[in-house]
Amino acid sequence: VPVSEARDCGRPVVARRGRLRASLPGFIVSGVVLGFLAMWNSAVFLAAAAILGVLFILCPLRFQMSALAVTSGVIALPQMLFLSTGAGRAHMPKLLHWGYTIDHPTAMNVVKYLGFTFGFKWLLIALALVFATSLQRRLFLAISSLLAIAFCFQFTIEVLANQKFIHIWVILANLFVAFALWRLWRLSLAGTTLPGKFTAIVTTLLIIPGGIIDFFPIHNTGWSEVTYKNDSLIDWLNKNTTPREILLTDRFVNHPILMAGRRVFYGWPYFAWSAGYDASKRDKVYIDLFENRDPWKVYRLLKENGIKYVAFDGAVRQAQFIKRPNEQLY
């Protein structure tokens, strides 16, 4: 082979090695960020893993993707083992679960559900895929794996938690909706862009009602206000307790005790239950602590559970969950 041809043949190899060295650090850093998501937000971690898994199959740069996967796996595995083990874990349902929350999850009912939920956005997504590049279509196929996960799997005791995958999907799918509207606005027919602009305006007006409906839960929900500055309870907690000490309190979502960074024995049970913990066991101990009239049994339960302080307030005295509060015993 002539020397000139040998040099030409070597250039692509050198270029590929240069691109690999330039791109690999970014993939590794992304793997580190993804790995820390496992405990911070496991749903986002699973969603990202699913999308990247499909992109690994459909796209090049598989070596870089492998480096990302190994990095995130090394960081995430200890967190996942920590979250999935422990004496307080409840029995988990089967991983495979078809239908999400649909009562009769036939394929047609699933299609109807998705059609009703996202409405005219499907037309804009289809239009976007017509104008999209090959890479953009592969990206949409990858993010659509989130719908498959939402309707085919159950990762926690609460199947409704799969709504997070649908929410992430629609956030990413909205990029394609916006792209379709942009193309319609610039589309020229017979030398004029007026038909495209008119169509873009009409389709935008058609998808707005679906967004307005999403505001009603925010409008109808309750709200609470928690004091932090110049609060005597927070000041007392900061002076007399440490962050690692456990307090027996009312079951609440927000409270100055939490705002002060203190631990509570039993907060709002939904969070522990939906995360896969057996909240019913804690319910029994909690009732015993607040209702039992035997001083030695109450004292033993306090010591066994590491409770340093007991907070009696109006919420405990009037709670429906606690029938006969034992405040006098304390």
Side-chain angles (χ1 to χ4, degrees):
V1 178
V3 174
S4 59
E5 292 184 20
R7 289 174 178 170
D8 292 337
C9 291
R11 284 174 184 170
V13 176
V14 174
R16 284 196 297 270
R17 289 176 179 172
R19 286 197 298 269
L20 176 61
R21 285 195 296 268
S23 61
L24 193 58
F27 279 83
I28 293 175
V29 171
S30 299
V32 171
V33 175
L34 178 59
F36 283 116
L37 278 174
M39 184 174 289
W40 181 57
N41 194 319
S42 56
V44 176
F45 173 78
L46 291 172
I51 294 173
L52 292 171
V54 178
L55 289 176
F56 177 84
I57 298 173
L58 299 178
C59 297
L61 304 183
R62 291 184 177 88
F63 181 83
Q64 291 92 324
M65 293 287 286
S66 299
L68 186 155
V70 170
T71 304
S72 63
V74 169
I75 297 174
L77 183 60
Q79 302 173 63
M80 296 176 69
L81 291 175
F82 175 77
L83 291 173
S84 60
T85 56
R89 302 293 297 182
H91 178 70
M92 296 300 293
K94 293 181 179 179
L95 179 62
L96 296 177
H97 176 86
W98 164 247
Y100 185 42
T101 58
I102 300 175
D103 291 332
H104 303 287
T106 63
M108 183 55 65
N109 285 341
V110 170
V111 171
K112 289 180 180 178
Y113 176 89
L114 292 173
F116 176 79
T117 303
F118 302 112
F120 291 98
K121 283 188 177 182
W122 286 113
L123 296 177
L124 291 170
I125 289 173
L127 181 63
L129 294 177
V130 171
F131 290 109
T133 64
S134 173
L135 178 60
Q136 291 166 346
R137 294 191 186 103
R138 283 177 281 171
L139 175 62
F140 183 79
L141 184 61
I143 67 174
S144 295
S145 64
L146 299 181
L147 293 180
I149 290 175
F151 282 89
C152 297
F153 295 95
Q154 183 175 351
F155 297 99
T156 68
I157 198 169
E158 183 189 27
V159 68
L160 184 61
N162 282 11
Q163 64 180 306
K164 298 172 184 177
F165 300 116
I166 300 177
H167 291 164
I168 297 172
W169 176 84
V170 74
I171 290 170
L172 298 174
N174 278 339
L175 298 174
F176 290 82
V177 173
F179 173 62
L181 291 172
W182 177 79
R183 287 305 303 257
L184 282 173
W185 189 262
R186 296 170 58 90
L187 185 64
S188 178
L189 295 173
T192 177
T193 58
L194 289 178
K197 286 182 169 61
F198 176 77
T199 305
I201 293 172
V202 169
T203 51
T204 300
L205 294 175
L206 289 174
I207 64 177
I208 284 177
I212 293 176
I213 292 173
D214 288 335
F215 281 103
F216 278 91
I218 301 175
H219 176 269
N220 296 331
T221 191
W223 58 277
S224 62
E225 195 172 284
V226 180
T227 306
Y228 183 74
K229 291 185 177 180
N230 301 320
D231 183 81
S232 57
L233 176 57
I234 288 182
D235 292 339
W236 186 91
L237 290 167
N238 287 332
K239 292 177 181 177
N240 297 280
T241 67
T242 64
R244 300 191 66 84
E245 290 177 334
I246 299 173
L247 287 82
L248 176 64
T249 66
D250 179 36
R251 303 184 309 170
F252 41 63
V253 179
N254 295 306
H255 194 275
I257 291 175
L258 294 178
M259 297 296 290
R262 269 43 182 178
R263 300 181 178 187
V264 296
F265 173 72
Y266 197 25
W268 195 246
Y270 167 78
F271 300 117
W273 170 80
S274 62
Y277 293 96
D278 189 354
S280 61
K281 290 183 179 179
R282 186 59 59 98
D283 285 337
K284 296 175 183 177
V285 178
Y286 182 80
I287 292 174
D288 250 352
L289 284 165
F290 271 129
E291 288 191 355
N292 199 286
R293 272 12 190 211
D294 182 348
W296 289 111
K297 183 174 182 180
V298 172
Y299 177 77
R300 179 175 55 82
L301 289 174
L302 291 171
K303 296 294 288 185
E304 287 178 354
N305 293 281
I307 297 170
K308 192 67 176 293
Y309 297 92
V310 180
F312 260 97
D313 58 6
V316 175
R317 299 183 188 102
Q318 301 165 14
Q320 295 180 353
F321 194 67
I322 304 299
K323 305 300 183 183
R324 297 170 298 146
N326 57 358
E327 184 174 3
Q328 293 302 318
L329 181 145
Y330 282 102

